[in-house]
Amino acid sequence: MSTHASHPIDPSTTPRRKLLLVASTGGHLAQLVRLAPGLGATPSSLWITFDSAQSRSLLAGRRRIHVPYVRPRDYLGMMRAAGILRRVLQHEKFDGAVSTGAGLAVAALPQAALCGVPSLYIESVSRVEGPSLSGRILAASHLVSLRTQHPAWATKRWRTHPSVLSTYQSLTRRAPDHPRLFVTLGTIEGYRFDSLVDAVLASGLADERTVWQLGFTTNRTDLPGEVCQIMPTTQFIHAALTADVVITHAGVGTFMGLLEMGIFPVIVTRRKHRNEHVDDHQMQIAELAQRLGVARAVDAPDLTADVIRFAASRAIATATTTAERIPQSSDQ
C-alpha cells in the first residue's frame, strides 16, 4: 500500500481512530499524551514507550507495551526497538501511527509506513529553531508526514501543528517571605547537573525545608533538607505541590508536568559545554517559556534569589489543548 500523499483530515469532523502512539519517556511522552485526544486516539490505541514511573503514571489504564530504554543517539538500541515494533505491526492493524520523538520515532514510524500505516511525526515543542536529529532522519526517509509546533520554521513539508504550550497562562499570587524550594534535576542517564545545585546553594534560600531530587547527580553530601536520587511519581507530585517554588532543568516532560499542576517554575538549562546534556536544545525551550511568560528561564550562573522570589509570586492557569489538521496518510 502506498504511504505517499493523500488529504489531511480534521479530527473534529472524522471518526476517532485506533492509533499506534510511540514516544520516548520524558517530554516526548508528555507531549504525545496531551496531544492524543485531538489526534482522535481511541481507547483501543496502543502506546509504545519505555518503562518508567512517568509512563506508568501517564498511561495508567491504557494499552501499552514497554521497550528497552534507548539512550540518545543509541542506534543499536533503535534497531532493537524497531524489531519489537515490526512484530507488533505484523500482529495488529492500526489506522495511523504518531510519534513526538526521540529515538523511538526513528525506530517506529518508517516501520509503520512500510506496513501501509499512515505515519505522522510531530516535532517536540523544544525545537524552536528547526528539527531535531530524529526529525531530520525521518524527513530524509520521505515516508512520514512532518509537523512543527513553531510556525516560524514551518515549510511545505514541515506543516504547523498547534503547540502544547499555547493554552497556559501566568497569574500573580501572594509570595511568601521565605519560599520553600523543590529542586528537581530530571533523570537523564549519565549526565550530572552540579551547576544548578551549586547555584541554588549560592542563592542562600535552601534550608532544612528544601527537597532535592538529584537523578544522576550523585554523592552530594552538602545539601540541607530532604535528598532523593529518584522519586516515585506520588512523592514528586507532593513535593511539587507543597513547595512555594520549583526549580527544574529545562526538560519538556518535567516542565509540562509542572504547568499541568498549576506551577510557575524556574527552569535552568543543561549545557553541552558543561557536559550536562548531549546538546544545547534545552536553551530553545527555556527561551520559548520565557517569551510566553510561563516560567523564569535562566542559565545556572544566573540563578539568583531574586529569580526564585519572582517565581514564588506566580502561578499557572491551564486549559485543554486541541489539535487541528492531521494526516490520513503521509503527505509530503
Side-chain angles (χ1 to χ4, degrees):
M1 181 183 298
S2 171
T3 58
H4 291 283
S6 73
H7 63 281
I9 62 173
D10 182 341
S12 67
T13 60
T14 56
R16 284 154 58 82
R17 301 182 298 165
K18 179 183 176 182
L19 299 177
L20 182 66
L21 298 160
V22 185
S24 300
T25 49
H28 303 289
L29 180 61
Q31 290 177 77
L32 190 54
V33 168
R34 187 162 177 84
L35 292 170
L39 294 167
T42 64
S44 61
S45 297
L46 179 65
W47 294 79
I48 308 287
T49 189
F50 309 137
D51 187 14
S52 70
Q54 182 211 32
S55 62
R56 291 193 296 272
S57 174
L58 287 178
L59 302 179
R62 307 189 198 203
R63 298 182 65 227
R64 66 186 186 273
I65 293 175
H66 294 138
V67 298
Y69 180 71
V70 179
R71 291 174 62 88
R73 302 183 183 179
D74 175 8
Y75 299 107
L76 182 59
M78 291 181 198
M79 291 175 63
R80 287 194 294 264
I84 296 172
L85 287 154
R86 188 161 49 248
R87 291 192 291 274
V88 170
L89 289 161
Q90 288 171 348
H91 291 90
E92 191 165 353
K93 300 296 184 182
F94 298 93
D95 300 314
V98 184
S99 182
T100 46
L104 282 186
V106 178
L109 294 185
Q111 293 283 341
L114 290 170
C115 290
V117 180
S119 298
L120 170 66
Y121 176 70
I122 303 173
E123 184 59 271
S124 172
V125 72
S126 67
R127 299 295 177 168
V128 178
E129 298 175 354
S132 62
L133 177 60
S134 298
R136 296 195 299 272
I137 292 172
L138 291 168
S141 77
H142 290 273
L143 293 170
V144 177
S145 292
L146 307 168
R147 297 291 184 269
T148 170
Q149 297 184 55
H150 299 285
W153 62 269
T155 66
K156 183 177 180 180
R157 292 195 65 203
W158 284 95
R159 301 183 184 180
T160 302
H161 194 92
S163 168
V164 294
L165 299 182
S166 61
T167 58
Y168 297 106
Q169 291 184 321
S170 173
L171 308 172
T172 59
R173 66 173 184 174
R174 183 184 298 274
D177 294 331
H178 303 286
R180 178 186 180 120
L181 309 183
F182 174 38
V183 183
T184 174
L185 309 189
T187 57
I188 181 170
E189 293 186 18
Y191 293 93
R192 299 177 62 89
F193 203 3
D194 293 281
S195 64
L196 172 53
V197 175
D198 294 339
V200 173
L201 293 176
S203 76
L205 295 180
D207 57 26
E208 70 281 355
R209 302 170 302 155
T210 301
V211 179
W212 308 80
Q213 187 266 308
L214 299 181
F216 285 83
T217 305
T218 55
N219 301 317
R220 293 297 303 239
T221 60
D222 55 338
L223 305 181
E226 178 185 350
V227 179
C228 303
Q229 297 302 137
I230 307 293
M231 284 183 171
T233 301
T234 53
Q235 184 182 356
F236 181 98
I237 293 172
H238 176 77
L241 291 176
T242 55
D244 298 307
V245 180
V246 178
I247 304 169
T248 178
H249 75 136
V252 178
T254 303
F255 175 41
M256 286 185 57
L258 295 171
L259 294 180
E260 284 292 302
M261 288 186 270
I263 293 167
F264 181 100
V266 176
I267 57 177
V268 183
T269 50
R270 289 179 176 266
R271 300 299 301 275
K272 181 180 180 180
H273 76 268
R274 292 193 296 257
N275 195 34
E276 294 165 349
H277 212 313
V278 66
D279 60 23
D280 283 332
H281 77 270
Q282 287 198 350
M283 293 183 65
Q284 297 179 18
I285 190 64
E287 291 167 0
L288 175 63
Q290 182 81 18
R291 186 166 69 249
L292 293 175
V294 293
R296 278 300 300 269
V298 295
D299 194 18
D302 301 319
L303 178 62
T304 65
D306 286 343
V307 169
I308 295 171
R309 289 194 176 99
F310 176 84
S313 71
R314 311 296 295 182
I316 293 293
T318 66
T320 301
T321 295
T322 57
E324 294 177 355
R325 294 168 63 83
I326 62 175
Q328 177 72 23
S329 65
S330 183
D331 52 308
Q332 306 301 324

